[in-house]
Amino acid sequence: MAIDTNTDNVYDEVEIEDMDYDEDEDKYYYPCPCGDRFEISKELLEEGETIAHCPSCSLRLRVIYDPEEFAPDDDDEAIQLSTTITDLSDLFSEVTKRRKNSPLKSLQKYMDADPTIVSLGAGLPHPDTFPFASISATVAEAGMSVANSGAATKAVSITTKKPTAKVEGLERFLQYGNGRGVPSYTRFAYEHTERVHDPPYEDWDVVVSSGNTDAFTKAIALFYHSGDTLVVDEWTYPAAIETVRPMGIHLCPVDMDSEGMMPSELDRLCETWDGPGNAPRLVYTVPTAQNPTGATMSLARRREIYAIAQKHNLIIVEDDPYYYLQLGPYKPLAEVSGPEDRYKDLPGIASLVPSLLSIDTDGRVIRLDSFSKVLAPGLRCGWITAPKYITDKIQFHNETSIQQPAGLSQAIVSKLMNEDWGHGGWERHLVQTQREYAERRDQFVDICQSHLKGKVEFTIPTAGMFLWFRVLLNEESKKKKGVMREIFESMINNHVLLVPGYMFSPLGQTDKVLDKPYMRAAFSYAAVGSFEVAISRFAQALEPFTC
């Protein structure tokens, strides 16, 4: 059959028996002429769908099968997806409204759809000039730690002009691409999002980012002009502050408690808005292991925040790099009988607190995910999940900025996730990462409770990497202007470093916040064996200023 590039037409037909079935992904696959694969999920077959799609081109494949073989049981609970989401495109900035697909990038679809085309149009370097024949990395087996000298390892390799059933050849990763990302990488991100968050509306999609700071910048650019207002937590991520401040965007902090942003305060802010900038349209929050406070929203709190967003037609940017670092309850070292006792209450994947995306029936959540905290930050790989009309605009922005994450990083991540580990292996790795940080958290808290009693107060975090200390200043220190800077200098003189709270204030380093008695400590990086030395030095630094 001749290839027809009209997306309304079907390339060919195939019997279901001739397709490859992947049990882990619950999908059927068949080779596409563009080099990628047609795919269709078993769930869609159960619903009577007969068309398989290729994620890299516009071709379609008709699947021939007996519907009765895929008919669900009568007592299966039907999954109801929202088919109508709230169209927020009227809130787009003027720049976003004018943003279109890059003209040169738009030509790629013709090459993808028809492999017989001889392209004299694309200004692409020839892959034979790339000096990379293959790349490889030695990684721990899924669920193992490289810190363990006895951990099993394996080689992850990807080679030029040797695509596999699931991953493109190296030359595809090294070539220019569109702003969506290399198909196998984005396919994994989509499938993982579906497995864990299962957004409750139909037309959602993912688009690549170079980590969550890049993703945040793209999300803000969708909707904001100079003079607009962004709602943030009372204490928030400094990179977010420094991203929007030069853009002329006003930051409006909302009071927090032990679970993060308070719904009543968010509602009050919107109900009584009186400037100085335009009324807020977007809320930025880190709902899991909030940076810097370590606060994690319960499901009930997330639902309350979402309901306020619905009431005031707000968009939520859910920045969630610590989502998989949910650590369960703190266990004092003296009460732990062994490794299994320590780890038995970890949430794993099945018991994670549901995300805001997972309750987003309106399509008003823009979720930012990253491999930085759970694989390696230097990879600069992440993705954004949102309604497709929003991810399309981010793709267009990518095409005139980052293009996509570095090809070498995408290649290693895609090969590792799609073939060497798979979804099951990735999830075992996430659980292993939970174990490591839970043990760090517990040991750190033990030491803090031993050395800092009477000097600080803190809430033990159930997720993430941070403890947020409230310093218990004595009466003399409470009256002293600049006391927190003095405490910082005392820490440096005692050879220990924590981050003063004022560095996380959306209000800037003003008199209103400079002497707020807060410090952030991270238990993620320092060697566990140095925890006691560090906290002893911190206690000594606080001695002249505390009760």
Side-chain angles (χ1 to χ4, degrees):
M1 178 181 292
I3 296 175
D4 188 333
T5 58
N6 187 320
T7 58
D8 293 332
N9 293 330
V10 172
Y11 161 67
D12 207 343
E13 295 181 349
V14 65
E15 298 281 348
I16 190 72
E17 292 81 6
D18 294 327
M19 300 184 75
D20 294 324
Y21 176 60
D22 188 308
E23 187 172 355
D24 288 340
E25 299 178 5
D26 211 19
K27 288 186 177 183
Y28 288 83
Y29 294 97
Y30 193 79
C32 178
C34 77
D36 203 347
R37 299 175 301 165
F38 295 104
E39 61 180 56
I40 187 168
S41 68
K42 188 176 179 181
E43 181 180 355
L44 287 176
L45 293 168
E46 291 173 350
E47 295 172 0
E49 179 61 71
T50 62
I51 300 297
H53 296 260
C54 175
S56 297
C57 70
S58 60
L59 295 182
R60 299 180 177 189
L61 181 73
R62 179 171 287 111
V63 182
I64 309 301
Y65 68 101
D66 182 358
E68 291 187 2
E69 294 182 8
F70 292 89
D73 295 335
D74 292 338
D75 58 354
D76 281 354
E77 183 179 354
I79 298 175
Q80 298 296 323
L81 294 179
S82 173
T83 56
T84 303
I85 60 175
T86 301
D87 185 355
L88 301 168
S89 60
D90 59 325
L91 300 180
F92 280 159
S93 68
E94 290 304 315
V95 171
T96 300
K97 290 176 181 177
R98 292 193 293 267
R99 199 180 291 281
K100 305 295 183 185
N101 191 196
S102 167
L104 293 179
K105 300 294 184 185
S106 69
L107 299 177
Q108 184 67 38
K109 64 177 179 287
Y110 298 105
M111 296 172 63
D112 290 339
D114 184 357
T116 67
I117 280 183
V118 178
S119 174
L120 301 179
L124 307 178
H126 197 280
D128 285 353
T129 66
F130 303 162
F132 305 97
S134 67
I135 60 169
S136 64
T138 302
V139 302
E141 290 282 1
M144 304 289 286
S145 170
V146 293
N148 182 348
S149 59
T153 60
K154 66 190 306 181
V156 176
S157 300
I158 184 166
T159 303
T160 296
K161 298 181 181 178
K162 289 187 178 180
T164 65
K166 293 184 178 181
V167 181
E168 302 83 355
L170 179 59
E171 75 282 358
R172 180 66 182 272
F173 290 95
L174 296 178
Q175 189 57 271
Y176 287 116
N178 65 27
R180 211 90 195 177
V182 178
S184 61
Y185 175 96
T186 54
R187 182 171 60 242
F188 177 85
Y190 185 99
E191 291 169 354
H192 176 73
T193 301
E194 189 173 41
R195 286 167 68 97
V196 176
H197 305 288
D198 195 17
Y201 61 92
E202 291 182 338
D203 197 21
W204 63 274
D205 206 353
V206 301
V207 62
V208 293
S209 72
S210 290
N212 279 15
T213 302
D214 170 59
F216 172 73
T217 303
K218 300 289 169 54
I220 293 299
L222 286 168
F223 300 100
Y224 273 65
H225 310 86
S226 180
D228 286 342
T229 301
L230 175 65
V231 174
V232 296
D233 292 303
E234 178 183 8
W235 306 99
T236 197
Y237 180 43
I241 297 171
E242 297 310 320
T243 294
V244 302
R245 185 166 283 145
M247 300 168 66
I249 294 171
H250 299 281
L251 291 167
C252 187
V254 175
D255 289 349
M256 303 173 67
D257 61 14
S258 61
E259 287 194 32
M261 185 178 290
M262 299 171 64
S264 59
E265 291 301 305
L266 176 60
D267 188 36
R268 182 191 61 78
L269 173 78
C270 295
E271 290 278 10
T272 61
W273 180 255
D274 60 356
N278 300 324
R281 299 194 298 277
L282 192 148
V283 177
Y284 168 72
T285 189
V286 181
T288 310
Q290 197 265 352
N291 185 4
T293 67
T296 294
M297 292 184 184
S298 64
L299 176 57
R301 173 62 59 88
R302 295 173 199 235
R303 285 175 170 157
E304 288 181 89
I305 292 291
Y306 189 79
I308 300 301
Q310 288 179 306
K311 177 180 177 181
H312 297 287
N313 198 31
L314 300 171
I315 302 153
I316 300 174
V317 175
E318 180 182 27
D319 185 1
D320 224 356
Y322 309 100
Y323 182 71
Y324 297 102
L325 301 185
Q326 297 183 39
L327 310 177
Y330 157 69
K331 294 184 177 180
L333 186 62
E335 298 177 12
V336 176
S337 59
E340 292 309 311
D341 182 37
R342 178 181 293 277
Y343 302 143
K344 68 181 181 180
D345 293 326
L346 290 177
I349 304 300
S351 299
L352 293 168
V353 179
S355 63
L356 286 161
L357 176 66
S358 72
I359 60 174
D360 179 23
T361 54
D362 294 353
R364 64 176 66 252
V365 172
I366 300 174
R367 179 176 171 82
L368 317 183
D369 275 289
S370 172
F371 287 108
S372 292
K373 303 300 189 294
V374 287
L375 203 58
L379 291 168
R380 305 316 304 145
C381 284
W383 71 95
I384 303 167
T385 307
K388 189 175 184 303
Y389 74 93
I390 289 178
T391 59
D392 285 346
K393 291 292 188 180
I394 295 172
Q395 174 187 336
F396 302 158
H397 194 170
N398 280 348
E399 288 172 354
T400 59
S401 57
I402 65 163
Q403 303 252 346
Q404 55 184 324
L408 293 176
S409 291
Q410 284 193 83
I412 289 294
V413 171
S414 180
K415 184 74 171 179
L416 179 64
M417 298 302 172
N418 284 297
E419 292 191 343
D420 292 275
W421 280 0
H423 287 284
W426 171 233
E427 291 169 7
R428 289 195 298 278
H429 169 76
L430 293 173
V431 172
Q432 172 60 28
T433 307
Q434 287 179 0
R435 289 182 172 191
E436 293 191 20
Y437 282 107
E439 187 166 347
R440 280 177 162 270
R441 186 270 317 267
D442 292 352
Q443 292 194 45
F444 194 71
V445 169
D446 275 355
I447 293 168
C448 289
Q449 290 182 334
S450 173
H451 291 276
L452 298 176
K453 188 175 182 179
K455 291 181 171 61
V456 301
E457 291 179 341
F458 61 92
T459 298
I460 299 174
T462 59
M465 300 177 168
F466 309 120
L467 260 64
W468 183 242
F469 294 128
R470 178 175 175 270
V471 180
L472 301 176
L473 298 172
N474 57 36
E475 290 303 316
E476 180 182 353
S477 296
K478 287 178 184 179
K479 301 173 184 177
K480 186 184 295 185
K481 187 174 182 179
V483 65
M484 294 309 293
R485 289 191 185 276
E486 286 190 33
I487 290 176
F488 180 78
E489 291 171 3
S490 179
M491 288 191 301
I492 298 303
N493 291 335
N494 280 277
H495 311 290
V496 64
L497 179 64
L498 285 78
V499 186
Y502 57 76
M503 291 188 177
F504 301 97
S505 174
L507 301 177
Q509 296 184 27
T510 63
D511 289 344
K512 188 173 182 179
V513 297
L514 278 175
D515 285 329
K516 293 281 188 179
Y518 296 104
M519 289 280 179
R520 190 198 74 176
F523 53 82
S524 55
Y525 181 72
V528 172
S530 68
F531 283 176
E532 186 147 21
V533 171
I535 294 303
S536 296
R537 290 174 177 176
F538 181 46
Q540 187 174 350
L542 291 178
E543 188 67 36
F545 306 95
T546 54
C547 301

